[in-house]
Amino acid sequence: MATVQRSDEAQQAAARPADGALPGPAGAGRPPEVIQGGMGVAVSGWRLARAVAAAGQLGVVSGVALDAVLARRLQCGDPGGDARRALGQLPLPGAAERIIRRYFVPGGIGAGQPFRPTPRLGLRPNAAGTELAVAGNFVEVYLARQGHDGLVGVNYLEKVQLATPAAVYGAMLAGVDYVLMGAGIPVEIPALLNSLAAGEPGELTVTVADAPTGARHTVRIDPRALSGDAPAPLARPRFLAIVSSAVLAGYLARIPAATPDGFVLEGPGAGGHSAPPRGRLRLDAGHEPVYGPRDEIDLAKITVLGLPFWLAGGQAGPGLLARAKSAGAAGIQVGTAFALCRESGIDAGLRGRLVDQALAGTLVIRNEPDSSPTGFPFKVAQLSGTLADDEVYAARTRLCDLGYLRAPYQRGDGRIGYRCPAEPVETYLRKGGEIEDTIGRRCLCNGLTATIGLAQRRTGEPAEAPLVTLGQDLGFLPGLVAAAGSNYSAADVIAYLLQ
Ligand SMILES: Cc1cc2nc3c(=O)[nH]c(=O)nc-3n(C[C@H](O)[C@H](O)[C@H](O)COP(=O)(O)O)c2cc1C
């Protein structure tokens, strides 16, 4: 069994100044000009974030599903030993040994062998699940921070509320500089960061469908219970809220306890999820949401809030950074150009097909209103052999075994249940869900995990198929490939953006 020793390295690394003196190549006190957007699941893994941070900009790991990602990487034999090396720095007594004992398979599991299940999220998660979530986030941020003194952030989805406290704590133990959160209204995150930085329990309110008015449910984490001791204070990361309207930014900025340290303003063409159009949902002939002038973010209203902001969605072209800055932004956040670079977590074969088709002008990215169990529009690359392909979708047996997008609901007997619109339809209906919510829903958890080469395999079934999300603006690619080749790096993207 691997021996795991805690050194002071992680603790020292975690104790960075939290008072505005930003370390690293971005310059003291100066925010980064380019944020490499968080891209789940593990598309922006530690290799990508590390490359971006080493090049002087803000590299952001996705914090979604990192418990399963860590468990599966260990079951693949952890080639190179990076995960075990990082686990060796995890400051929770005995946790690394327990995780390695449970999941590490020397040489990796066989090609058709299923991955071992990981504990699912819940309002009262078990100790092993909490430990794995903390460890998964710690490992990703720890590895992203190696070999440079640049800035590293972590990205979460507000919708995945049940995962957040443990995940954030793991990232903070590894000394994360920024936390970014989108896909919801992250009112309680600043307070959560304050509590965890002080070594105190942190909690979040959880939305429970069908709960009586006034009932409050929470998910919490207690650093003392995990460390078995009085935990050392941690640096408090900065918090950027990812929003799509000046109204929401203004709302957050008006509540002192909810005020973030800045905003990422994301337009509807950005990769991943996006906010639905304001007002009644209208679909065009291609069944995509129609956005109009009301969806444009009013930068004048953002500017008066006095907080730094970054523009996201279709910002990956020469000159666009300068344009954003002249509009008052601190910089830009870019996703797709990094998702297609060689440090991206996307499986290399898939990435090659995406780049080739994008260059040939045949890659279509649809903004699908029904695919995501979250109910938010979700950009999907129309690539054969993936879950975007109707045949592949129809052939898949509906099931929910990862469960990150399960939402809690109150059952008739008063207990809390969990449901996901992408689970088997009859199960979802039995749990009180609506049939309309199940139509067209894709299992994002399994699809996105397959995209990074960690597809679940089940006896008698085809392996889970990938599902690829990208932004709708691919106009940056010909110029970038002309400058740096189709196997371009994260540093090439940054050079291109800074032109
Ligand atoms: C593959 C991929 C996955 C993404 N996943 C997330 C995510 O998990 N959370 C999030 O806030 N944004 C996510 N995004 C959005 C990016 O962080 C970024 O804001 C967006 O891609 C910027 O627009 P662009 O793609 O036009 O550059 C994702 C984008 C891509 C391309």
Side-chain angles (χ1 to χ4, degrees):
M1 193 186 70
T3 312
V4 175
Q5 277 185 334
R6 161 89 182 113
S7 84
D8 287 336
E9 194 186 333
Q11 199 67 46
Q12 283 165 8
R16 285 184 167 185
D19 58 3
L22 297 182
R30 200 150 49 84
E33 290 185 310
V34 175
I35 302 176
Q36 162 259 304
M39 298 179 280
V41 169
V43 169
S44 62
W46 62 268
R47 286 192 174 82
L48 175 55
R50 186 181 63 173
V52 172
Q57 302 298 336
L58 175 56
V60 179
V61 296
S62 163
V64 177
L66 288 178
D67 43 1
V69 168
L70 172 61
R72 290 188 182 187
R73 284 183 185 150
L74 290 170
Q75 287 168 85
C76 290
D78 185 26
D82 297 306
R84 282 165 294 154
R85 187 164 54 82
L87 278 171
Q89 301 300 321
L90 179 65
L92 303 182
E97 285 92 345
R98 283 189 289 276
I99 290 168
I100 289 171
R101 204 165 40 232
R102 187 162 181 78
Y103 296 106
F104 177 57
V105 177
I109 57 175
Q113 203 180 328
F115 288 112
R116 203 177 177 148
T118 43
R120 286 197 285 180
L121 300 172
L123 280 172
R124 302 284 164 267
N126 67 26
T130 301
E131 200 165 88
L132 188 61
V134 172
N137 281 265
F138 176 87
V139 165
E140 206 71 4
V141 172
Y142 176 86
L143 292 174
R145 297 188 70 222
Q146 297 302 295
H148 60 83
D149 64 353
L151 298 170
V152 169
V154 64
N155 173 288
Y156 300 107
L157 300 175
E158 205 275 338
K159 281 260 179 185
V160 190
Q161 292 169 327
L162 295 170
T164 303
V168 167
Y169 186 57
M172 285 175 66
L173 281 176
V176 76
D177 299 294
Y178 279 80
V179 170
L180 300 92
M181 183 176 275
I185 308 177
V187 178
E188 296 180 0
I189 301 300
L192 176 72
L193 300 179
N194 293 341
S195 302
L196 295 179
E200 286 164 7
E203 67 173 23
L204 282 185
T205 306
V206 173
T207 310
V208 175
D210 309 329
T213 321
R216 181 170 178 251
H217 293 278
T218 55
V219 60
R220 89 196 289 270
I221 187 163
D222 184 352
R224 258 169 241 147
L226 279 168
S227 63
D229 206 350
L234 297 171
R236 197 265 199 201
R238 283 147 197 268
F239 174 56
L240 304 183
I242 305 171
V243 300
S244 296
S245 86
V247 175
L248 178 51
Y251 171 75
L252 292 173
R254 264 197 309 279
I255 308 170
T259 303
D261 298 297
F263 296 102
V264 174
L265 307 176
E266 207 174 55
H273 288 96
S274 46
R278 298 183 76 189
R280 201 173 57 82
L281 179 67
R282 284 190 302 123
L283 300 178
D284 65 14
H287 202 70
E288 293 188 51
V290 178
Y291 291 86
R294 287 180 68 198
D295 300 301
E296 275 162 32
I297 306 173
D298 186 338
L299 293 188
K301 288 197 176 137
I302 299 284
T303 305
V304 296
L305 300 176
L307 293 167
F309 62 88
W310 288 258
L311 303 185
Q315 299 295 325
L320 295 186
L321 171 61
R323 194 172 75 180
K325 288 175 79 170
S326 66
I332 54 176
Q333 170 167 293
V334 170
T336 302
F338 288 110
L340 295 175
C341 81
R342 65 172 176 258
E343 292 93 346
S344 152
I346 295 183
D347 168 77
L350 267 181
R351 186 167 60 83
R353 286 176 64 206
L354 290 163
V355 170
D356 289 349
Q357 293 190 21
L359 287 173
T362 55
L363 184 63
V364 174
I365 315 292
R366 294 192 59 237
N367 191 13
E368 300 190 343
D370 304 324
S371 285
S372 170
T374 64
F376 282 110
F378 187 64
K379 259 68 52 165
V380 177
Q382 306 299 302
L383 199 65
S384 64
T386 69
L387 271 186
D389 182 331
D390 285 339
E391 264 181 46
V392 175
Y393 175 62
R396 177 179 185 269
T397 307
R398 268 175 105 113
L399 57 84
C400 176
D401 57 355
L402 284 169
Y404 293 99
L405 296 176
R406 293 190 315 166
Y409 71 101
Q410 183 152 336
R411 306 187 329 187
D413 61 6
R415 297 174 63 189
I416 302 298
Y418 301 90
R419 66 189 179 208
C420 174
E423 71 186 339
V425 175
E426 43 312 342
T427 313
Y428 186 67
L429 298 184
R430 204 171 50 239
K431 294 176 180 173
E434 306 283 339
I435 184 85
E436 305 82 74
D437 293 339
T438 66
I439 297 164
R441 293 295 195 267
R442 263 70 177 159
C443 176
L444 259 58
C445 297
N446 274 295
L448 296 177
T449 312
T451 299
I452 54 161
L454 294 176
Q456 181 58 293
R457 298 73 71 106
R458 298 186 193 88
T459 322
E461 298 264 339
E464 286 283 358
L467 179 66
V468 180
T469 180
L470 287 179
Q472 289 183 301
D473 184 348
L474 299 167
F476 64 85
L477 199 60
L480 182 51
V481 169
S486 59
N487 194 30
Y488 64 83
S489 67
D492 293 327
V493 178
I494 292 167
Y496 187 67
L497 300 175
L498 297 180
Q499 263 176 50

